[in-house]
């Protein structure tokens, strides 16, 4: 059995406009706190072109504000500086992350049409999901976004039916390294439900326990479960290296540095069926 684990933002749905609007609303609402805690004395509006750069280097909402600090203090936006700023301003970034999601809920409640108008499913995604499902591939999502929001958006775009399991930032919210834990939980789900080739079963934390001989669980084993994970942020791919076949979504926000992580580049969603089709010797 094969499972494709998708990132959400920047892979299935283009959410950069949504994130831009919510970041501006959050900064405007908390500009006094921003000045006091982050040392930025005057709120400076973010040009959309600058935010697109922030987005390409961010793995969660808190990173938008960490990159905002780096930008306005003249430091290079790279992983090393981002980790330093995240550690130094952790309480501040945690609060900004909370306010960001409050603003999202407020915007959605104020005007659903306007909110969903900030989102766009990438061209080719619906057809690709159908094609992959026809190949027998099951779909899951792991994301730094909360699972409730993901389900709302997928429902709006009539795509929710394709995904068997969705895990969001409810797991270690705000942790930039969360993908490693999320993939263990996803594997636990599929191995608990379908079994594995060794007749073992796993709990939702990925721990294994021997299955009793002759149980219905063992009898429904589909053989070895092969996992692939697709993301547009190289940092996230690096965090699950060795735990799945890795695919880089070139149509998303990130840029893939040469030699950074061993992965297959998918130039567009329509490439995925051929990249994931069974290889015949």
């Amino acid at each position: 059995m094969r499972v494709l684990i998708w990132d959400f933002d920047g892979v299935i749905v283009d959410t950069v406009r949504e994130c831009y609007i919510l970041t501006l609303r959050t900064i405007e609402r908390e500009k006094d706190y921003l000045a006091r805690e982050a040392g930025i004395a005057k709120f400076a509006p973010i040009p959309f072109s600058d935010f697109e750069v922030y987005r390409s280097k961010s793995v969660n909402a808190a990173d938008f504000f960490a990159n905002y600090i780096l930008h306005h203090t003249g430091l290079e936006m790279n992983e090393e500086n981002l980790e330093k700023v995240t550690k130094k301003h952790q309480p501040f970034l945690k609060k900004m992350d909370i306010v960001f999601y409050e603003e999202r809920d407020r915007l959605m409640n104020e005007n659903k049409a306007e909110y969903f108008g900030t989102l766009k499913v990438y061209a080719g995604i619906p057809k690709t999901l159908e094609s992959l499902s026809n190949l027998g591939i099951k779909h899951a999502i792991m994301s730094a976004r909360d699972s409730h929001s993901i389900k709302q958006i997928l429902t709006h775009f009539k795509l929710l039916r394709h995904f068997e399991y969705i895990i969001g930032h409810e797991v270690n919210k705000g942790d930039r390294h969360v993908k490693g834990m999320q993939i263990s939980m996803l594997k636990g789900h599929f191995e608990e439900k379908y079994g594995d080739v060794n007749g073992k079963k796993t709990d939702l934390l990925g721990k294994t326990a021997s299955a009793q001989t002759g149980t219905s669980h063992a009898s429904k084993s589909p053989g070895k479960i092969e996992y692939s994970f697709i993301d547009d942020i190289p940092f996230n791919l690096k965090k699950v290296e060795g735990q799945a076949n890795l695919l880089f979504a070139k149509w998303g926000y990130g840029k893939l540095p040469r030699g950074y992580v061993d992965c297959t580049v998918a130039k567009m969603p329509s490439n995925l069926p051929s990249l994931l089709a069974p290889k015949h010797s």
Side-chain angles (χ1 to χ4, degrees), residues 8-181:
F8 185 74
D9 299 72
V11 178
I12 298 172
V13 178
D14 182 358
T15 61
V16 69
R17 181 66 61 177
E18 173 216 24
C19 293
Y20 176 62
I21 291 169
L22 296 180
T23 297
L24 291 181
R25 286 173 64 132
T26 300
I27 291 174
E28 176 62 30
R29 176 175 155 185
E30 296 295 331
K31 57 187 176 185
D32 293 338
Y33 184 75
L34 181 68
R36 185 173 68 252
E37 298 296 325
I40 299 175
K42 185 178 179 181
F43 166 66
I46 308 170
F48 184 68
S49 58
D50 284 355
F51 185 78
E52 288 183 297
V53 176
Y54 297 0
R55 184 64 192 86
S56 70
K57 299 176 182 296
S58 300
V59 301
N60 57 31
D63 277 5
F64 301 152
F65 305 103
N67 277 311
Y68 180 83
I69 293 170
L70 289 175
H71 182 97
H72 286 279
T73 53
L75 293 172
E76 183 182 352
M77 285 187 286
N78 57 37
E79 286 182 14
E80 182 180 356
N81 286 336
L82 193 57
E83 293 282 357
K84 288 179 180 177
V85 166
T86 299
K87 186 175 181 179
K88 180 179 179 180
H89 296 286
Q90 193 170 41
F92 161 75
L93 294 173
K94 184 176 181 180
K95 178 175 180 179
M96 297 296 274
D97 183 80
I98 291 169
V99 174
F100 178 91
Y101 287 106
E102 289 176 352
E103 286 299 313
R104 184 199 63 198
D105 293 342
R106 185 175 286 114
L107 178 59
M108 183 180 287
N109 291 333
E110 287 171 357
N111 191 325
K112 280 187 169 58
E114 180 185 351
Y115 172 74
F116 284 112
T118 68
L119 307 168
K120 181 175 66 175
V121 175
Y122 285 104
I125 286 292
K127 185 175 180 180
T128 296
L129 285 166
E130 293 283 0
S131 298
L132 292 172
S133 295
N134 290 338
L135 290 173
I137 294 172
K138 297 187 179 296
H139 304 282
I141 292 172
M142 64 181 189
S143 173
R145 178 184 289 263
D146 63 293
S147 60
H148 177 68
S149 169
I150 293 170
K151 290 173 184 177
Q152 285 181 305
I153 295 169
L154 290 175
T155 298
H156 176 79
F157 289 113
K158 298 180 173 57
L159 296 175
L160 182 61
R161 62 186 176 86
H162 292 288
F163 297 94
E164 179 168 324
Y165 196 66
I166 297 170
I167 187 167
H169 74 192
E170 299 83 6
V171 179
N172 281 25
K173 182 179 179 182
D175 184 350
R176 302 190 70 249
H177 307 272
V178 72
K179 295 288 188 181
M181 178 175 284

Side-chain angles (χ1 to χ4, degrees), residues 208-253:
T208 60
S210 296
Q212 293 182 358
T213 303
T215 61
S216 59
H217 177 94
S219 65
K220 62 184 178 183
S221 168
K224 182 180 179 181
I225 302 175
E226 181 180 337
Y227 299 93
S228 298
F229 172 52
I230 183 164
D231 203 310
D232 66 310
I233 303 297
F235 179 88
N236 289 333
L237 293 173
K238 191 77 171 176
K239 291 304 166 188
V240 301
E241 198 168 18
Q243 300 185 68
N245 302 316
L246 302 180
L247 296 155
F248 175 70
K250 194 173 182 180
W251 61 88
Y253 310 129

Side-chain angles (χ1 to χ4, degrees), residues 188-220:
H189 164 79
F190 282 99
E191 289 162 14
E192 178 72 19
K193 183 170 181 178
Y194 297 103
D196 67 14
V197 72
N198 297 315
K200 296 180 179 179
K201 56 193 286 188
T202 56
D203 63 22
L204 289 183
L205 292 176
K207 298 174 182 176
T208 60
S210 296
Q212 293 182 358
T213 303
T215 61
S216 59
H217 177 94
S219 65
K220 62 184 178 183

